[in-house]
Amino acid sequence: AQRVTQPEKLLSVFKGAPVELKCNYSYSGSPELFWYVQYSRQRLQLLLRHISRESIKGFTADLNKGETSFHLKKPFAQEEDSAMYYCALSESGGYQKVTFGTGTKLQVIP
Amino acid sequence: KAGVTQTPRYLIKTRGQQVTLSCSPISGHRSVSWYQQTPGQGLQFLFEYFSETQRNKGNFPGRFSGRQFSNSRSEMNVSTLELGDSALYLCASSLAGNSYNEQFFGPGTRLTVL
């Protein structure tokens, strides 16, 4: 069974400080990992995916298969980064059966 | 282009009743997935439809069912409602429903069971 764990329910950081949102997964096959974000009063939306190897809004995430982790990082937090972040997993190339973590609320303190 | 729409946005039912929720995907998208979101369990996958066929199903009882029409619009039905079915139900659409396609989420339907 696939499982995604986000150990922190709430992460508070000061503006300008580095951010790291943790995500660990368990999956026996070849996983595709995602980060979704939900800003206040907005829809859930895709932030980035490991296969794209992109930096979106200054965020990056590296898939570490040895540690089965996909942590989301940003060197300098901005107030507009305050949101709910969900790590998610699906089978690479497979149909969309996405397993979500329970989410981490990021609060950036001005 | 218009985003994913869900109707109704809010719904109040009583235990034992049944409910039908509707989802209209983005034009051209053929895959629709449904999720249940609760404070305790987070986002849980219900099922996914593509070209009117259910391709994947999560671990929910048979009271939860769905269907997809030829225009890709989808409905989900919950029969014999229980208090624990109170949740935000989200649908998401994508082009072909494989992991390489981005999912676009609707605003959700908030179901309250009394």
Side-chain angles (χ1 to χ4, degrees):
Chain A
Q2 49 200 63
R3 186 184 179 95
V4 177
T5 303
Q6 293 179 252
E8 302 141 327
K9 285 191 174 181
L10 172 67
L11 181 65
S12 297
V13 300
F14 285 101
K15 179 182 173 181
V19 176
E20 183 178 48
L21 299 168
K22 296 189 187 305
C23 172
N24 288 88
Y25 68 91
S26 64
Y27 185 63
S28 56
S30 179
E32 182 150 355
L33 277 297
F34 311 84
W35 277 98
Y36 282 83
V37 62
Q38 188 166 28
Y39 301 102
S40 179
R41 299 180 184 176
Q42 292 189 28
R43 304 180 182 198
L44 191 62
Q45 59 186 287
L46 180 67
L47 178 63
L48 55 79
R49 55 204 306 171
H50 91 271
I51 198 170
S52 301
R53 298 184 182 276
E54 293 174 307
S55 173
I56 305 293
K57 299 185 178 183
F59 284 98
T60 59
D62 290 318
L63 178 60
N64 186 322
K65 291 188 177 181
E67 295 182 359
T68 60
S69 68
F70 188 57
H71 303 327
L72 183 68
K73 299 178 183 179
K74 184 171 182 177
F76 307 104
Q78 302 297 317
E79 289 181 64
E80 55 265 30
D81 296 330
S82 295
M84 196 74 182
Y85 291 81
Y86 295 92
C87 182
L89 173 156
S90 71
E91 181 180 356
S92 181
Y95 299 143
Q96 264 169 0
K97 181 177 180 179
V98 183
T99 298
F100 284 85
T102 49
T104 298
K105 183 175 182 179
L106 175 64
Q107 183 180 60
V108 180
I109 305 164
Chain B
K1 52 186 176 182
V4 178
T5 58
Q6 292 186 245
T7 56
R9 293 293 311 279
Y10 302 90
L11 208 46
I12 300 175
K13 292 284 187 180
T14 56
R15 279 182 298 174
Q17 287 188 308
Q18 74 164 15
V19 66
T20 300
L21 312 182
S22 180
C23 172
S24 292
I26 291 172
S27 177
H29 286 192
R30 297 171 65 191
S31 169
V32 173
S33 299
W34 287 90
Y35 297 87
Q36 182 195 64
Q37 187 176 26
T38 59
Q41 300 294 320
L43 274 154
Q44 292 186 284
F45 174 80
L46 279 156
F47 27 66
E48 186 252 352
Y49 286 87
F50 179 82
S51 291
E52 303 178 64
T53 301
Q54 185 184 90
R55 295 195 301 190
N56 258 313
K57 192 177 190 307
N59 297 324
F60 279 82
R63 300 185 297 106
F64 291 81
S65 63
R67 59 178 176 169
Q68 187 181 34
F69 302 94
S70 57
N71 62 358
S72 295
R73 189 177 70 85
S74 178
E75 289 181 346
M76 68 163 280
N77 184 276
V78 187
S79 62
T80 320
L81 284 165
E82 300 177 1
L83 295 179
D85 298 331
S86 294
L88 182 67
Y89 290 88
L90 295 172
C91 83
S93 75
S94 68
L95 275 171
N98 65 50
S99 66
Y100 303 125
N101 298 147
E102 180 177 350
Q103 285 193 98
F104 293 85
F105 282 81
T109 294
R110 172 77 62 185
L111 172 65
T112 302
V113 182
L114 303 175

